[in-house]
Structure formats: structure tokens, C-alpha cells
Amino acid sequence: MILHELIDYGTLRVIWWLLLGVLLIGFAVMDGFDLGVGMLLPFAGKTDMERRIVINTIGPVWEGNQVWLILGGGAIFAAWPPLYAVSFSGFYLAMFAILAALILRPVGFKYRSKREGARWRRNWDWALFVGGFVPALIFGVAVGNVLQGVPFRLGSDLRIFYDGSFFGLLNPFALLCGLLSVAMLAMHGANWLVLKSSGPVAARARSFARIAALATIGLYALGGLALWLFVDGYRITSVIDPSGPSNPLAKTVETSAGGWFANYATHPWMLLAPALGFVGALLVLWGLRSGREIGTLLFSKLSIFGIISSVGLSMFPFILPSTVQPGASLTVWDASSSHLTLFIMLFVTVIFLPLIAAYTAWAYKLLWGKVEEDDITGGGHAY
């Protein structure tokens, strides 16, 4: 038997669908809190020293956190080539806006303290705000568009044609999802500041965390209601071959109102995901009231896990529906790389993903503790 045949093609596809979810959730959990801190920087810190404390809570870790974004993009490119081709071409201007905002982050961190002027530093503080707010908003808008379907079609030779526009992505439901993403990551960032700071900064962070947690609960509920009432779901009506060739055109698809909720009726255990989205945010409110600093951060991670998981579970097996040619929608079963490619990548991932996780855990353990004013004035490596 050839080695890669130890795991059948259909199972490998599901494994890589799960791994893609792990990487996307990993990015939201790990890089999400420093995006949230960036959004809160102009508000959590009132004086220059307070803002330096805010920046230095994420200063040693933000670059390493972005590894998860690179891993997620790489996984899409290697495991789901059609998904990469459609999303990175159709969402090109959106991706460019994210990239431009993310570029502001390292520049802001490095240049903010190059001059003593209050105006200079204030401008860079707002640049860091943009570097946190814009990616959080656009990532959420992208998820909202994926749930609604994207205007792309496939030719008979599987060439991809995108019929949409950048401003078409900014529709009401997608913007609602964008606001949910902003609230969710602001909650996460505020909980990080509660854990890593003290005094007035931590007190303000607690207030922002409460507001963001309530906003997360409200927007998530509103998003679910809008998904049920106004967004059509997709369903495969032809025979599914989990180990068949990667040809999205070899199936038939129909749409129906509220169709994204069908999986919950078929598999009730999936309801655990949206439940965790709500319960995690509610536990954040409880943790803030009871003074559980580590707990509130873990609870916000739980909420993020539930919210993002609910999207993937609702859509399964679809990963990118098409609004103009539903039969061309990309699914787990027909948009993956070859059997051998998925197996080799899985072998590499099994080796390197635990190493990345172990190194990350070691780095956070080494940098454990609150950032105080003495750490800023007495440390030559502080921002």
C-alpha cells in the first residue's frame, strides 16, 4: 500500500477543513487580542505613560502572533487552491486595505517614541488604532460575504470569473458581521489589558470589556436572526462522493431561506458552537465582576471559538458559495488539493504545529506578569 493511502481522500479533506478552522481560530485568539489592544489604545491610555504601558503589553508578542495569519493563508493556498484563487482575487482591494493597515502596526510601534512631541505620538497612536480596527472590521465583513455567497462563476475549463466589486462587499449583513468582529476582538483585547496592566489602564479596560462583551452578545444574536431571515443557505442535491475528484461543477446545488441552520437540525451537537459564543461572552461579564483576570481572557477565547466555529459548522460542507452559479460553489469535497498533497502537508503539520504551539507557550510564560511604569522607565527595550 502507498503510504498516503493509509488515510482515505475524504477523511483527509475533513481533517484539512478542521485544520483550516484551527488556524483561523488560532489567528483570532492569538493575534485578535493585540488587534483589540490597538483599537483601545487611544481610549485606554490618557497620558503618554499610560499609552506606553498599553503598547508594551503587546510589544513583545504581536509579531509572533501574526504567524497564525501566515499559516492560515498558506494552508488555504496549499490545501484549497480554488478557495485561495477566488478569495484572494475577488477580495483583492479588501486584502490590500488589510495589508496597508497591518503595515501601520510595526511602523507605529517603532516610530512612536522616536520623537517627544505630543502631536507626533498622538498621530501614531491613531495609526495603531487604524492598524487594529480596519483588519478586525474587514475580516468580519469577509465572513459575512462568505455566508451570503460570493459572485463568482466557473467556466467549463474551471477558469474562475469574479463578477463582484469592492463596494458590493459592504452590504448591511456583511457590515453587521464586521461590527461583531470588532466587538469580539475589542472584548478580547480589553481582557488582555485587564490581565497585563494595573491602575487606571486596567480600570478603563474593565469598562471597555463589559461594553464589548454586551455588544458581542447583542450583535451575535442579531447576526443569527438576520442569517435566518434574510440570507439564503445552500444545499447539495446530487450524490456526494467524499473521495471524488476536485471538480466543483460535478454537483447540483439549491438555495433556501434559513438553509444555513439545517445542519443544527440534522446534528444537534453542533448547537454547542453558538452556545459557546454566547456563554463565553456572558462568562466574561461574570469574570470581570468577580475579578478573575485570567478567567476573563480564557472566557473571551471561548466566545471567539464558539462564534467562528458556528460559521464553519453552519456552512459545512460548503467553504465558499457562489451567488451567480450555485453549482460552482466550493465545498470540502470538490475544492481541495490532491490526496498526496494533503497527506504530505498533514505529515509536516503534525511535526511543526506542536513546535509552534510549544514555542508560543514558552514565550508567554517567559513574559508573564503585568507591565508597570518601572518596566517602561527602567527598560531599554520598551516601546
Side-chain angles (χ1 to χ4, degrees):
M1 176 182 292
I2 300 174
L3 186 61
H4 70 274
E5 293 180 352
L6 291 173
I7 305 177
D8 69 84
Y9 198 10
T11 301
L12 270 176
R13 284 167 159 166
V14 174
I15 290 173
W16 270 102
W17 174 78
L18 291 170
L19 283 174
L20 179 60
V22 168
L23 294 174
L24 294 178
I25 293 171
F27 167 69
V29 167
M30 299 304 299
D31 203 32
F33 72 75
D34 58 61
L35 292 176
V37 168
M39 284 189 274
L40 296 174
L41 172 60
F43 315 105
K46 298 300 183 181
T47 67
D48 180 66
M49 177 55 66
E50 288 178 354
R51 292 185 177 184
R52 289 188 69 188
I53 289 173
V54 171
I55 291 172
N56 280 278
T57 62
I58 59 173
V61 297
W62 72 269
E63 288 177 291
N65 291 340
Q66 294 196 148
V67 168
W68 293 93
L69 177 61
I70 297 169
L71 290 173
I76 293 174
F77 173 77
W80 312 99
L83 173 61
Y84 183 90
V86 175
S87 58
F88 279 71
S89 57
F91 297 167
Y92 182 80
L93 290 179
M95 295 291 183
F96 182 83
I98 291 173
L99 179 61
L102 290 177
I103 288 173
L104 286 175
R105 286 153 55 83
V107 178
F109 285 130
K110 300 296 183 182
Y111 277 83
R112 184 188 184 277
S113 295
K114 295 295 184 182
R115 291 174 57 180
E116 296 290 338
R119 182 177 179 182
W120 170 270
R121 294 189 173 187
R122 185 170 59 252
N123 289 340
W124 284 116
D125 291 339
W126 284 105
L128 289 170
F129 165 81
V130 170
F133 177 81
V134 170
L137 178 68
I138 294 182
F139 281 131
V141 167
V143 171
N145 278 282
V146 168
L147 282 165
Q148 295 176 101
V150 176
F152 73 94
R153 53 193 170 85
L154 299 179
S156 58
D157 57 356
L158 299 184
R159 282 193 303 163
I160 296 169
F161 301 90
Y162 183 78
D163 297 335
S165 64
F166 172 74
F167 292 103
L169 302 176
L170 304 178
N171 55 78
F173 179 76
L175 289 172
L176 174 61
C177 292
L179 292 176
L180 171 59
S181 175
V182 169
M184 179 180 72
L185 297 186
M187 172 183 70
H188 199 35
N191 288 328
W192 175 259
L193 282 178
V194 170
L195 177 65
K196 293 290 289 183
S197 64
S198 58
V201 173
R204 294 188 196 104
R206 287 188 183 89
S207 298
F208 290 131
R210 292 188 187 97
I211 295 171
L214 290 170
T216 298
I217 295 168
L219 290 169
Y220 189 39
L222 185 60
L225 181 62
L227 188 66
W228 173 265
L229 295 176
F230 305 115
V231 179
D232 288 345
Y234 290 66
R235 183 173 70 90
I236 298 175
T237 56
S238 56
V239 176
I240 300 173
D241 181 5
S243 297
S246 289
N247 180 7
L249 297 179
K251 67 180 182 301
T252 56
V253 174
E254 67 176 16
T255 62
S256 62
W260 287 140
F261 291 83
N263 279 346
Y264 297 114
T266 306
H267 307 286
W269 64 267
M270 290 184 177
L271 289 169
L272 182 62
L276 290 177
F278 286 113
V279 170
L282 289 170
L283 287 174
V284 166
L285 295 172
W286 173 76
L288 291 168
R289 181 181 293 273
S290 58
R292 300 174 184 272
E293 296 178 348
I294 297 177
T296 53
L297 187 65
L298 295 177
F299 297 147
S300 63
K301 291 181 179 183
L302 185 66
S303 182
I304 291 171
F305 173 82
I307 291 172
I308 297 178
S309 296
S310 68
V311 175
L313 292 173
S314 298
M315 293 181 61
F316 186 86
F318 290 89
I319 52 178
L320 190 64
S322 169
T323 56
V324 297
Q325 189 185 6
S329 299
L330 307 181
T331 74
V332 171
W333 312 125
D334 58 26
S336 72
S337 293
S338 69
H339 191 173
L340 179 60
T341 299
L342 294 182
F343 181 81
I344 293 173
M345 289 172 52
L346 180 62
F347 179 78
V348 173
T349 301
V350 168
I351 295 174
F352 286 100
L353 192 59
L355 292 177
I356 294 171
Y359 172 79
T360 301
W362 174 80
Y364 276 85
K365 181 180 179 181
L366 189 67
L367 298 167
W368 190 256
K370 293 183 180 292
V371 177
E372 305 287 355
E373 185 173 337
D374 290 344
D375 299 317
I376 307 297
T377 56
H381 299 289
Y383 287 113

